[in-house]
């Protein structure tokens, strides 16, 4: 039990505080632009057990980074303390000075890191700055969990495209809707709220024009207090058929709407009418009658989108799956039966999709939830 603020090295304590830092980082998911949402806790032990004396999460918009905020809160108490950071502290002079140097200047005794950073301005260099200054570094604590939370950032950095999460609501008999019937209630209220949390944490949400024409969805986050966290709404709409009266067009100035349409061949007056409502157009390549998805995703990532949700319909989901562009699959299964005339789900919830492994299962009221991540 040290009286100088230093925490005795202990795996269990490290895991506990790293888990707390990861939970903190979750707060700004979907709000930090192209920066990952990182969590930092400054913890010290003056003889009575560990106490958090500073906490920080990457600010909305991506700056300031997490560490200087946590250090500012800790003030002099940072000296001799342990810093838990969900990502290797940065080493570069960007719009803010390097966080690794800030940790050194504050006199932190030990740094416990979670995920490693693929950004070549940082990778390995952040930890090197700390070690050179005599700081004890423990890398990779709960690295998988930390990386899972910033999968959007990591995918965009390594693959130059957003992390793609497919979300499906499936009936007990494996259907996702009824042709020509618009939105069919499959899952209950708790699942609906859970989906809205997912939307709040995503940067963008994508659907095919067929889903818009059939369901007229809003695709916003409508949880009380989180309305401002709606993602960008993207519609795959080669011929720009999106109606100007669609619900999502009505509030396009609050939550952006991007229409991916053929660069050539869509009606100019339709396009102008949508643009007048605040809708933006992405020039997409159409190959063999279908969207060139890899190029489109690259374009979307270049505009700053790291985490993309694909909410349907079946054809769009299948297209993403066929192209190997899905990183995560989430399925909410409701107790209702739709019958044989229903639209079959591209994913059967009772077995793992090929090439994916199960990472989470939950119950939301009468619904069950499964989440799979692609085996890398
Ligand atoms: C940290 N703490 O909270 C975050 C980090 O454009 P800049 O200067 O903000 O740098 C962006 C890079 O900083 C980003 O690619 C990632 O490597 C790191 N993000 N680093 O120490 C943080 N958000
Ligand atoms: Zn930094």
């Amino acid at each position: 039990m040290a009286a100088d603020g230093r925490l005795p090295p202990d795996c269990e304590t490290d895991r506990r505080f790293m888990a707390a830092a990861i939970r903190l980082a979750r707060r700004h998911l979907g709000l930090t632009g192209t920066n990952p949402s990182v969590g930092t806790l400054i913890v010290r032990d003056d003889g009575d057990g560990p106490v958090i004396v500073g906490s920080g999460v990457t600010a909305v918009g991506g700056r300031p980074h997490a560490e200087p905020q946590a250090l500012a809160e800790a003030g002099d108490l940072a000296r001799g303390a342990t810093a838990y950071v969900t990502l290797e502290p940065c080493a570069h002079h960007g719009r803010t000075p390097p966080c690794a140097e800030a940790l050194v200047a504050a006199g932190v005794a030990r740094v416990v890191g979670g995920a490693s950073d693929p950004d070549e301005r940082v990778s390995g260099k952040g930890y090197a700055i700390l070690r050179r200054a005599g700081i004890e570094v423990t890398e990779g604590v709960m690295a998988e969990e930390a990386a899972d939370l910033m999968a959007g950032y990591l995918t965009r950095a390594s693959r130059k495209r957003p992390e793609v999460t497919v979300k499906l609501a499936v009936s007990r008999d494996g259907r996702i809707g009824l042709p020509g019937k618009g939105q069919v209630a499959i899952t209950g209220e708790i699942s609906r709220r859970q989906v809205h949390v997912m939307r709040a944490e995503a940067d963008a949400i994508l659907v095919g024009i067929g889903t818009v024409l059939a369901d007229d969805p809003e695709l916003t986050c409508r949880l009380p207090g989180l309305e401002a966290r709606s993602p960008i709404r993207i519609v795959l709409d080669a011929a720009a058929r999106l109606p100007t009266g669609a619900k999502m067009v009505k509030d396009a100035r609050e939550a952006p709407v991007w229409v991916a349409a053929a660069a050539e061949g869509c009606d100019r007056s339709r396009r102008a009418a949508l643009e007048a409502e605040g809708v933006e157009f992405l020039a997409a390549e159409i190959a063999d009658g279908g969207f060139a998805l890899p190029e489109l995703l690259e374009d979307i990532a270049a505009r700053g989108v790291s985490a993309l949700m694909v909410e349907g319909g079946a054809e769009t989901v299948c297209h993403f799956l066929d192209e190997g562009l899905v990183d995560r699959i989430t399925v909410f299964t409701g107790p209702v039966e739709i019958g044989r005339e229903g639209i079959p789900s591209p994913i059967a919830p009772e077995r793992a999709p090929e090439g994916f492994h199960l990472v989470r299962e939950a119950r939301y009221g009468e619904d069950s939830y499964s989440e799979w991540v692609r085996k890398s």
Side-chain angles (χ1 to χ4, degrees):
M1 201 71 53
D4 58 357
R6 218 183 164 100
L7 245 63
D10 161 23
C11 298
E12 217 25 68
T13 309
D14 282 352
R15 288 179 63 80
R16 185 175 136 218
F17 284 108
M18 184 57 75
I22 294 170
R23 285 197 297 276
L24 177 66
R26 186 156 186 191
R27 236 183 246 190
H28 282 177
L29 267 191
L31 294 177
T32 53
T34 56
N35 238 321
S37 182
V38 174
T40 298
L41 292 177
I42 312 291
V43 182
R44 59 182 293 124
D45 186 345
D46 289 299
D48 293 326
V51 176
I52 297 173
V53 293
S55 65
V57 54
T58 310
V60 173
R63 293 172 204 96
H65 288 181
E67 295 87 332
Q69 300 182 73
L71 291 170
E73 190 186 327
D76 289 343
L77 292 175
R79 194 157 296 279
T82 298
Y84 290 88
V85 291
T86 60
L87 179 72
E88 176 177 1
C90 69
H92 66 288
H93 286 268
R95 279 188 242 174
T96 48
C99 292
E101 285 180 11
L103 289 161
V104 172
V108 164
R110 183 168 172 248
V111 171
V112 180
S116 24
D117 192 343
D119 187 324
E120 48 192 42
R121 298 169 300 173
V122 178
S123 189
K125 301 188 179 96
Y127 291 135
I129 292 176
L130 299 172
R131 289 197 173 104
R132 229 179 291 130
I135 294 179
E136 184 189 340
V137 176
T138 307
E139 293 181 36
V141 172
M142 299 194 77
E144 233 175 84
E145 290 85 348
D148 189 55
L149 196 83
M150 50 183 103
Y153 166 76
L154 296 172
T155 306
R156 183 170 176 276
S158 59
R159 297 182 191 255
K160 306 284 173 259
R161 65 160 175 81
E163 184 216 8
V164 175
T165 297
V166 161
K167 174 252 145 184
L168 290 167
V170 182
S171 66
R172 198 155 58 118
D173 56 344
R175 315 277 150 170
I176 60 165
L178 272 166
K181 287 279 157 56
Q183 295 200 29
V184 179
I186 295 175
T187 49
E189 180 57 21
I190 304 174
S191 295
R192 188 190 73 86
R193 289 188 204 164
Q194 199 58 32
V195 170
H196 282 227
V197 170
M198 289 171 68
R199 289 177 179 175
E201 292 179 345
D203 299 307
I205 185 165
L206 180 148
V207 291
I209 183 63
T211 294
V212 178
L213 297 176
D215 295 359
D216 196 15
E218 291 174 71
L219 305 177
T220 47
C221 170
R222 295 188 295 283
L223 294 175
L226 294 185
E227 296 88 347
R229 295 187 59 165
S230 289
I232 297 161
R233 290 141 327 145
I234 304 175
V235 185
L236 295 187
D237 184 13
R241 290 189 291 154
L242 178 64
T244 44
K247 280 188 193 149
M248 68 163 71
V249 174
K250 290 208 181 95
D251 59 4
R253 290 187 202 284
E254 281 93 67
V257 175
W258 296 353
V259 169
E264 311 281 321
C266 75
D267 186 307
R268 277 199 189 181
S269 62
R270 291 198 56 75
R271 185 178 165 137
L274 286 165
E275 279 173 336
E277 299 296 325
V279 170
E280 265 189 70
F281 276 78
L282 307 177
E285 280 173 49
I286 312 281
D288 307 325
F291 277 88
L293 289 182
E295 289 75 8
L296 180 65
L297 288 182
E298 204 178 303
D299 194 10
I300 291 171
R303 288 166 173 253
V305 172
S306 304
L308 176 73
M309 258 174 95
V310 174
E311 276 211 38
E315 205 184 306
T316 301
V317 168
C318 287
H319 193 177
F320 274 85
L321 284 168
D322 291 348
E323 298 258 349
L325 292 170
V326 176
D327 302 297
R328 195 179 294 260
I329 298 170
T330 62
V331 177
F332 296 80
T333 308
V336 297
E337 296 225 356
I338 288 185
R340 273 196 303 174
E341 66 281 20
I343 304 161
S345 168
I347 304 285
E350 62 281 0
R351 62 171 185 275
E354 211 176 309
F356 286 77
H357 68 274
L358 188 70
V359 292
R360 212 159 285 143
E361 278 184 305
R363 256 203 104 75
Y364 297 128
E366 290 190 72
D367 308 330
S368 54
Y369 171 82
S370 303
E371 179 174 336
W372 295 273
V373 168
R374 184 229 293 267
K375 296 177 189 156
S376 49

